[in-house]
Amino acid sequence: MADLTAGVHLNQFLAPQLLQEFKNYNDEFIKLLNPAPSGAISADGIRRNKLINNVAFSVNNTADFVAAKMDTEKNITLWDKLDTSPTEVDDAEIRSLSFDKRSAVRVKHSEAWKIGVRDYALHKLAPTQDAASLPVLRTTGAQVGAGTNGRLKLTYADLIRFYAAIESLPGLQNQYKHLQLCSEHHQDLIEDRANTNNYRDIVINQATGALERFYTLKLHFNLANVKYTPAGVMKANGAVGAADDRNSSVFFYSDNTVFHVNAVKILYKPETLDTTSADPKSTFRLQTYGLCDKVQPYGFGAIVSGNGS
């Protein structure tokens, strides 16, 4: 096996392409999120109003009715600043290379941007912790891994429990229900499906092998995931992981989401502007403002791997 070591080959006898980086770039779920209404976008974010339904219904009423006002509530989704970290390239390191490093760096920034926005959106959609309208359920299957750092598999019965919790939320329409499976839960369902007689409830695309649906719940898959502490609290995006953190699959009701990214700025300082360095340097990064959030905290949830023992 040809091991990778730090450095770069400078002679001309090289393979014509750079080695591939095997990273998970799947951000297909973002296409399911509601775009921001163009007329509602402001410098502060997106503002919304909501009427609180207080209409009562009577049967065989004999008293005079009293009219009541219908109150309103408001919220705002604020902008987040989204950046890639700058990369520096100096003239000395590229003068003998057989590839255009500056161009390759731009591609890497685009890839990092795609991964970063994907992770940002997933963490915005996931519940911080269990709540009545934001159910976070634990898996209960066989343990994988030893001791408290192990985790419990997702089972068909767990999926039924979570489905029941989602179905108990009134008003959710089936076409907007989505479950983004993490890698281990995706594999758990494949294994559990093979060991039960309930396989018809999980629809598999025969051409691609993808898990597509569980009853009215649309299934999606991504190697990336949101992690929760053993106490069931979501870890912040980019937080340092711990051995006892648990992976999750995230449920989102797409009609209660909003996603918008402004035009991405390419910030590039060419080496021709560096008049003091012995080896002139160029720097490159991407920057913009974006927003992704729950329009209201209703219709979101997560399935979190149970704690080992």
Side-chain angles (χ1 to χ4, degrees):
M1 179 178 67
D3 292 330
L4 293 170
T5 58
V8 62
H9 293 296
L10 299 179
N11 67 58
Q12 61 181 327
F13 303 106
L14 295 171
Q17 72 282 330
L18 293 172
L19 288 173
Q20 181 180 353
E21 258 192 314
F22 293 100
K23 290 189 176 181
N24 171 38
Y25 298 109
N26 187 4
D27 60 354
E28 291 295 316
F29 75 96
I30 290 180
K31 298 176 183 177
L32 305 171
L33 307 182
N34 267 350
S38 58
I41 298 173
S42 71
D44 297 322
I46 299 177
R47 298 183 177 92
R48 303 177 192 83
N49 293 319
K50 181 180 180 179
L51 279 174
I52 306 304
N53 192 343
N54 60 349
V55 178
F57 180 79
S58 301
V59 177
N60 297 328
N61 176 64
T62 58
D64 291 342
F65 286 102
V66 178
K69 289 186 176 294
M70 187 172 289
D71 294 331
T72 59
E73 292 181 348
K74 62 183 181 180
N75 70 8
I76 182 171
T77 301
L78 300 174
W79 293 105
D80 291 302
K81 189 163 63 172
L82 310 175
D83 297 272
T84 58
S85 59
T87 299
E88 175 186 283
V89 179
D90 64 56
D91 188 66
E93 69 178 301
I94 66 168
R95 59 188 297 268
S96 299
L97 291 179
S98 61
F99 65 94
D100 185 347
K101 185 171 182 178
R102 291 190 186 95
S103 177
V105 163
R106 294 185 182 97
V107 172
K108 293 300 180 185
H109 273 261
S110 297
E111 293 172 350
W113 177 267
K114 186 175 181 180
I115 294 173
V117 171
R118 186 270 318 275
D119 293 346
Y120 160 75
L122 272 176
H123 282 79
K124 285 288 190 175
L125 298 178
T128 303
Q129 58 189 41
D130 189 31
S133 60
L134 304 166
V136 178
L137 274 64
R138 290 280 183 168
T139 61
T140 62
Q143 181 163 332
V144 179
T148 56
N149 287 342
R151 61 102 184 172
L152 304 183
K153 286 186 175 183
L154 173 66
T155 66
Y156 177 87
D158 294 332
L159 200 55
I160 285 288
R161 285 192 304 115
F162 186 75
Y163 183 78
I166 296 303
E167 289 295 293
S168 69
L169 299 176
L172 298 187
Q173 300 179 56
N174 292 336
Q175 66 265 36
Y176 301 122
K177 298 175 184 175
H178 302 275
L179 180 62
Q180 179 83 355
L181 292 168
C182 69
S183 179
E184 62 189 33
H185 292 167
H186 182 267
Q187 183 61 31
D188 291 343
L189 286 181
I190 292 174
E191 291 180 9
D192 196 65
R193 180 184 184 275
N195 296 324
T196 70
N197 294 322
N198 303 305
Y199 61 89
R200 294 181 182 84
D201 301 332
I202 300 176
V203 177
I204 295 182
N205 186 308
Q206 296 300 314
T208 65
L211 305 184
E212 291 189 335
R213 184 169 51 82
F214 180 74
Y215 291 103
T216 61
L217 192 59
K218 298 176 184 66
L219 302 179
H220 310 278
F221 168 62
N222 202 307
L223 289 173
N225 53 272
V226 177
K227 293 183 181 294
Y228 286 77
T229 68
V233 178
M234 185 188 75
K235 300 278 293 224
N237 187 19
V240 177
D244 56 358
D245 288 344
R246 294 291 170 265
N247 294 323
S248 72
S249 297
V250 176
F251 169 78
F252 62 94
Y253 185 69
S254 60
D255 200 42
N256 265 357
T257 65
V258 63
F259 177 80
H260 181 77
V261 171
N262 278 345
V264 179
K265 290 181 289 187
I266 298 174
L267 304 179
Y268 177 63
K269 181 181 179 181
E271 70 276 7
T272 54
L273 297 181
D274 185 356
T275 61
T276 58
S277 300
D279 297 312
K281 301 176 178 64
S282 63
T283 54
F284 180 91
R285 73 182 177 99
L286 302 176
Q287 192 272 332
T288 192
Y289 284 85
L291 53 81
C292 179
D293 214 341
K294 310 171 186 68
V295 170
Q296 51 187 336
Y298 187 84
F300 298 85
I303 303 174
V304 183
S305 291
N307 299 322
S309 58

